[in-house]
Amino acid sequence: MRDGNGRKIDYIRISVTDRCNLRCRYCMPEEGIDLMRHEDILTYQEILKIAETGARLGIRRVKVTGGEPLVRKGVSQLIRELNAIEGMEDVTLTTNGLLLGDMAPELAEAGLSSVNVSLDTLDPERFSQITRRDRFADVMKGIESAVRSGLKVKINCAVMEHLSREDVLAFAEYSVKSGIPVRFIEMMPIGQGRKYHAMDNEELLKILSEEYGDLRESTEPRGNGPAVYYTYASGAGCIGLISAVHHKFCGSCNRVRLTSDGFLKLCLDSPAGVDLRTPLRSGVSDEELRGLMEQWIRVKPESHHFLSPEGREGELPLSDGTTEKCLNMNQIGG
Ligand code: SAM
Ligand code: SF4
């Protein structure tokens, strides 16, 4: 379907849990986390009902996210069932990779087409600093297992302000050797991420160009979204830049998000959206659910205001008139 600004909305990111086995500094605090009550988290049946309704409205691709989606039991079965929805063309996953070593074969078998592994550094010590856990080796095993299982793999590196030249070049080299695309994502001022400064991806491009000379912008489509890709003159290696903050791409935004407690969130930077869990648990009909989703997707905000402090909101008004505290990324799904 089209939203009120004429944008085609065909992609949904579905968060299946707010729990995580890492504590990335820009995403979750170490302690004092307000975890959702288990009974507030959507069941797989409820998620599937929303995805099916989305498919009737033209949603064609779904990304399963979290928290860490692989910590929720039965996620492979969910992926299988999402895949079976009429009209759904692509089911993908974003993960920190810790459990991928064991789970990649069953995920591939369930019909997952590709996996994005979030990895912010190739230095094990720095990994422990960022994630507050000493699990670098598990992520690398996870990536290998995903590749062996035939999944397409991309690495997503969220750029904290002090990403060093060494880190950038290590990823560039890794991409050449492994053939895995590495995408650098500008830190967004959301939740814990507000503590960090978003380094402009242009700076990264400069470092890469100094080292690799001619970077060529690639026009080949490689994912669901707004990354701009570059290949090296040598032909091997691929770097993607997702510059949500400094070079916003709201005009071509194609997505909505579903939080694990059932809030249909229309834009990362806006409280706009609707609670779908309450109507679902009050016996809403298929047609009413469709009408509700259609009505809200139509009013998706035109753009974010990450760079203007007065544009930011600290409270999340819900459709029933109450408000919630501003969310961290583990609750939104990235
Ligand atoms: N745990 C899974 C993972 O790490 O891929 C899925 C959920 S995580 C919230 C999804 C993505 O959001 C990760 O790639 C993470 O780096 C990114 N992320 C979290 N907080 C962010 C922020 N403030 N700005 C930009 N990206 C962020
Ligand atoms: Fe967990 Fe992903 Fe957030 Fe890191 S970014 S704390 S892995 S949800």
Side-chain angles (χ1 to χ4, degrees):
M1 68 169 283
R2 302 253 165 205
D3 72 359
N5 288 297
R7 294 171 296 193
K8 188 174 175 191
I9 307 300
D10 60 2
Y11 173 49
I12 189 165
R13 295 177 66 96
I14 298 182
S15 169
V16 296
T17 180
D18 62 336
R19 269 62 171 174
C20 189
N21 42 10
L22 292 182
R23 288 288 179 276
C24 305
R25 289 174 187 277
Y26 52 79
C27 181
M28 288 177 88
E30 172 71 287
E31 285 170 346
I33 304 160
D34 280 338
L35 289 175
M36 291 172 190
R37 297 183 312 167
H38 281 289
E39 61 266 37
D40 289 340
I41 291 180
L42 294 187
T43 63
Y44 284 155
Q45 283 71 26
E46 289 167 336
I47 290 175
L48 286 164
K49 167 70 86 187
I50 292 169
E52 274 158 20
T53 309
R56 288 172 62 208
L57 289 170
I59 300 284
R60 296 287 167 260
R61 287 164 296 145
V62 45
K63 171 89 70 203
V64 176
T65 176
E68 173 47 42
L70 298 186
V71 301
R72 183 159 173 189
K73 277 206 189 90
V75 75
S76 301
Q77 183 57 21
L78 175 74
I79 285 166
R80 188 183 305 282
E81 291 178 34
L82 285 168
N83 240 321
I85 293 174
E86 197 181 327
M88 204 58 87
E89 292 170 4
D90 197 27
V91 181
T92 59
L93 175 90
T94 178
T95 172
N96 60 29
L98 295 194
L99 301 177
L100 206 49
D102 287 338
M103 293 182 69
E106 73 183 66
L107 291 165
E109 199 270 320
L112 191 75
S113 69
S114 70
V115 67
N116 290 351
V117 179
S118 301
L119 178 63
D120 303 331
T121 176
L122 289 168
D123 173 356
E125 247 174 63
R126 181 127 174 75
F127 178 91
S128 304
Q129 281 163 12
I130 296 174
T131 66
R132 303 188 178 104
R133 301 287 183 271
D134 184 13
R135 303 288 301 272
F136 178 77
D138 293 313
V139 183
M140 298 316 279
K141 271 189 221 145
I143 293 173
E144 285 159 24
S145 173
V147 171
R148 266 200 315 277
S149 305
L151 292 166
K152 278 183 264 168
V153 179
K154 292 192 212 95
I155 289 178
N156 280 345
C157 169
V159 182
M160 292 171 78
E161 52 198 349
H162 40 283
L163 188 72
S164 66
R165 187 182 173 85
E166 288 70 43
D167 273 332
V168 177
L169 295 180
F171 271 125
E173 202 50 41
Y174 178 81
S175 179
V176 172
K177 288 200 175 122
S178 65
I180 296 176
V182 177
R183 312 186 313 167
F184 294 100
I185 301 175
E186 282 183 0
M187 184 63 48
M188 289 180 270
I190 291 177
Q192 300 294 306
R194 290 179 193 212
K195 295 182 190 158
Y196 303 96
H197 158 79
M199 173 173 169
D200 190 333
N201 269 338
E202 289 292 324
E203 290 179 43
L204 281 172
L205 202 54
K206 195 163 159 269
I207 297 177
L208 289 167
S209 306
E210 280 164 12
E211 195 68 23
Y212 288 94
D214 231 10
L215 287 177
R216 298 179 184 171
E217 198 170 321
S218 156
T219 48
E220 192 188 325
R222 291 170 198 261
N224 292 317
V228 179
Y229 288 95
Y230 296 86
T231 51
Y232 313 142
S234 69
C238 176
I239 293 295
L241 301 182
I242 302 184
S243 314
V245 177
H246 289 94
H247 306 273
K248 64 179 168 181
F249 33 74
C250 303
S252 57
C253 186
N254 57 355
R255 63 198 56 193
V256 289
R257 294 173 167 84
L258 181 67
T259 63
S260 49
D261 59 348
F263 189 78
L264 184 71
K265 190 166 170 57
L266 302 172
C267 171
L268 267 181
D269 187 38
S270 163
V274 60
D275 163 34
L276 296 177
R277 187 187 66 207
T278 306
L280 267 176
R281 293 187 181 175
S282 320
V284 72
S285 72
D286 290 359
E287 278 323 299
E288 283 165 340
L289 182 63
R290 180 189 165 134
L292 195 59
M293 287 175 66
E294 192 169 12
Q295 170 198 338
W296 280 88
I297 292 174
R298 218 170 277 294
V299 298
K300 179 175 158 65
E302 190 176 356
S303 75
H304 72 66
H305 302 93
F306 285 147
L307 289 176
S308 90
E310 64 280 9
R312 309 275 310 131
E313 297 183 57
E315 301 261 284
L316 180 70
L318 300 174
S319 51
D320 64 1
T322 59
T323 58
E324 257 183 21
K325 246 188 335 155
C326 186
L327 302 175
N328 276 322
M329 260 320 193
N330 68 303
Q331 296 167 299
I332 302 174

